[in-house]
Structure formats: C-alpha cells, structure tokens
C-alpha cells in the first residue's frame, strides 16, 4: 500500500499580524496625538516651559493608565461573554448531542461540503473535541483569538507610553522659543512614520497610510492649539 506523506509548507499571511498591529498602532498613535495636542494647547496658551513639561508627563501617565484600564475592562467583558457562551454550549452538547451534531454539519454544508462529507467531518471533530469544534466553527472562538485582558491592557499602555514619549522628548530637547512649532512638526513626522510602518507590516500602500495618519493628527493638534490660543493668557 502506498503511503502518502503530507508536508505542510510554511506560509505567512498578513492577517496574522492584524490583532497586535491594530493595538500597537492605535496605542502609539493615541500617545503621539494626545501628548502633542496637549503640549500644543498649553504652548499656544503661553504657558511656562515647566508647565508644558508637567503637562506632557501627566498626559503620558494618565493616557497610558486610561488606555490600560479601558482595554482591560473592554477585553474582560469580551472574555466573560466567551466564557458564558462556552458554558451554554457545553450544556447544549450534554443535553442534545445529536442536535449539536446536525448544527455543526449544517455549518460545513454552508461552507461548501456535501451533506455526507459534512456529516463525517462533524462526527470526527466532535469525537475528538466537541466543545472545541463548536467553539471554533459555531461561536468563532479559538485559542489564538481568545480574549486576554491583562495582555491587552499591558500592550495598550506600553504602546501609548512609547508614542507619548516622542513629543515629551521634543519638549525636553527643543528650544523654548519655537517649542510649539517643533512639537507640531516632529509629531507630524512621527505620525507619518508610524503610518508607513503599519502599512509596511500590513502590506498596504505606504504613502496613503502615512498621509492619513499625519492628516488626522495634524487636525487634532490644530484644534487643540486653537483652543489654547483662544483661552490662554496674552503673550
């Protein structure tokens, strides 16, 4: 009897990076825009250099903590929902395994298998791990995509802090006389580079992504600087 040996060839897909790429880009983007906008606002209001530094540091810390708390609560809610769904699915499997088998088989038929093959696939997968099969194919829950609140919170806080550290460094190093222009100009560059880096990892057009991120960041800083100039002390 001839034996066939199947060797999987390595494949690399861009979608493998979507989860962490989105979180990292979002956090760093928020860090740059939030901190640079705060600095632009208080600088336009003619605040002292010490006040601007304090604002930038406070923005970094508060933003990182806010991102961590918000992401933790959001992802923890998702994890609770997944846990409840899995518990309900386990009960249904114990109560009526035949109905659950038909349900799983119907899912595979919708994906293109004929009824006989779908029935065999469902039977084999349920024999191996019924809950895992239903979690993956009925509920869309898998081990690689399951919610991890602590990991998500740490990633969001870390990426925000990295982004916020960039305009903070500019505040510490740039000349005080032209600080507002330095912060805005470098923030636009940082945002463009971030957009280009995200596009390179995701396999999308570099220029379009860089311009999109830079445009909205510039808009946010412009609005904040305008508010600061309107309500700040006269020069």
């Amino acid at each position: 009897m001839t034996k066939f040996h199947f060797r999987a060839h390595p494949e690399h897909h861009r979608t493998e990076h979507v989860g962490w790429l989105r979180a990292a880009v979002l956090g760093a983007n928020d860090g740059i825009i939030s901190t640079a906008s705060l600095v632009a606002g208080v600088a336009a209001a003619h605040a002292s250099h010490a006040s601007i530094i304090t604002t930038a540091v406070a923005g970094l810390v508060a933003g990182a903590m806010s991102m961590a708390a918000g992401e933790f609560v959001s992802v923890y809610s998702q994890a609770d929902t997944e846990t409840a769904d899995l518990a309900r699915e386990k009960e249904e499997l114990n109560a009526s395994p035949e109905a659950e088998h038909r349900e799983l088989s119907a899912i595979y038929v919708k994906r293109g298998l004929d009824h006989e093959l779908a029935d065999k696939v469902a039977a084999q997968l349920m024999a191996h791990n019924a809950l895992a099969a239903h979690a993956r194919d009925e509920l869309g829950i898998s081990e690689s995509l399951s919610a991890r609140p602590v990991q998500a919170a740490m990633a969001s806080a870390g990426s925000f802090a990295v982004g916020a550290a960039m305009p903070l460094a500019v505040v510490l190093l740039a000349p005080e006389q032209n600080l507002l222009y330095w912060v805005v100009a470098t923030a636009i560059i940082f945002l463009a580079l971030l957009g280009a880096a995200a596009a390179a990892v995701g396999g999308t057009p570099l220029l379009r992504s860089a311009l999109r991120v830079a445009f909205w960041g510039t808009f946010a800083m412009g609005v904040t600087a305008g508010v600061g100039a309107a309500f700040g002390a006269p020069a």
Side-chain angles (χ1 to χ4, degrees):
M1 180 182 294
T2 303
K3 294 184 178 180
F4 294 94
H5 298 280
F6 295 96
R7 180 182 301 173
H9 65 281
E11 292 185 343
H12 301 283
H13 300 286
R14 303 287 186 178
T15 52
E16 296 174 357
H17 308 296
V18 168
W20 68 261
L21 177 63
R22 175 187 172 277
V25 170
L26 180 62
N29 184 74
D30 282 354
I32 296 172
I33 294 177
S34 297
T35 307
S37 295
L38 281 171
V39 170
V42 295
H46 309 293
S48 66
H49 190 252
S51 296
I52 295 174
I53 294 176
T54 301
T55 299
V57 173
L60 186 155
V61 175
M65 293 301 98
S66 176
M67 288 286 289
E71 194 73 8
F72 181 85
V73 171
S74 174
V75 178
Y76 206 99
S77 297
Q78 178 186 342
D80 285 344
T81 301
E82 291 178 356
T83 301
D85 283 344
L86 289 174
R88 187 181 304 110
E89 192 66 29
K90 187 175 183 179
E91 292 177 0
E92 293 174 353
L93 283 167
N94 292 331
S96 53
E98 296 82 5
E100 291 299 308
H101 174 268
R102 291 193 298 270
E103 185 177 31
L104 192 62
S105 179
I107 291 174
Y108 298 142
V109 169
K110 289 181 179 179
R111 292 182 182 177
L113 300 183
D114 61 57
H115 288 275
E116 182 178 356
L117 180 57
D119 187 72
K120 291 181 179 179
V121 171
Q124 291 188 24
L125 288 177
M126 289 186 66
H128 176 67
N129 191 327
L131 183 59
H134 281 268
R136 180 182 60 251
D137 295 323
E138 180 184 349
L139 304 177
I141 300 174
S142 66
E143 180 64 27
S144 61
L145 298 178
S146 61
R148 296 179 175 87
V150 175
Q151 182 184 46
M154 293 178 64
S156 294
S159 58
F160 183 96
V162 170
M166 297 179 186
L168 174 59
V170 175
V171 170
L172 295 173
L173 300 174
E176 294 184 31
Q177 295 82 1
N178 300 313
L179 183 59
L180 176 59
Y181 302 105
W182 275 93
V183 169
V184 172
T186 54
I188 293 172
I189 295 173
F190 293 148
L191 289 168
L193 291 175
L194 178 64
V201 175
T204 56
L206 298 181
L207 182 59
R208 183 189 307 168
S209 179
L211 290 176
R212 180 174 60 247
V213 175
F215 171 79
W216 288 110
T218 304
F219 178 78
M221 288 184 289
V223 171
T224 310
V227 172
F231 291 93

